[in-house]
Amino acid sequence: MNNLLIALTCVVILVLVHYVIVDFRFRFSGGITGIWLHNPAPVGLWVARLTAIPPLIAALSIKFVGTGETVWIVLGVLSMIHFLSLFMLRAFVIEE
């Protein structure tokens, strides 16, 4: 299978899982727009925002690096860090 197709599929999966978590858990705090447009943002929200970028970069790097076991482990760890930061963010209330 083409590495570009695998990379784009991983990006789509990450975006959809991010959307599901944010839409479900933060529906009363504004959903996606509440997470990305909240200003001034608390520190936990900045952590959640910044941890969204490395998994996307790792998923896009599949095109150039290939689909070795190490790539999947790195992608899984980075994704779990981002998803855990979203779950931990819900423990602290975001004011509207």
Side-chain angles (χ1 to χ4, degrees):
M1 187 178 256
N2 189 359
N3 283 344
L4 178 62
L5 184 61
I6 294 172
L8 293 177
T9 304
C10 288
V11 168
V12 168
I13 289 170
L14 289 171
V15 168
L16 289 176
V17 171
H18 173 83
Y19 176 76
V20 167
I21 292 172
V22 171
D23 187 51
F24 177 72
R25 295 186 62 84
F26 300 98
R27 184 169 298 243
F28 299 112
S29 300
I32 292 286
T33 57
I35 290 293
W36 290 105
L37 299 179
H38 191 77
N39 193 14
V43 175
L45 188 55
W46 276 108
V47 170
R49 288 176 181 172
L50 292 176
T51 57
I53 298 167
L56 293 175
I57 293 171
L60 289 174
S61 72
I62 290 174
K63 179 184 179 351
F64 305 107
V65 178
T67 56
E69 183 179 346
T70 307
V71 174
W72 295 117
I73 291 172
V74 168
L75 182 60
V77 168
L78 291 174
S79 300
M80 288 310 300
I81 290 171
H82 174 61
F83 299 148
L84 287 175
S85 72
L86 287 174
F87 285 121
M88 293 304 292
L89 181 61
R90 186 61 183 143
F92 307 103
V93 178
I94 299 175
E95 296 87 21
E96 290 189 45

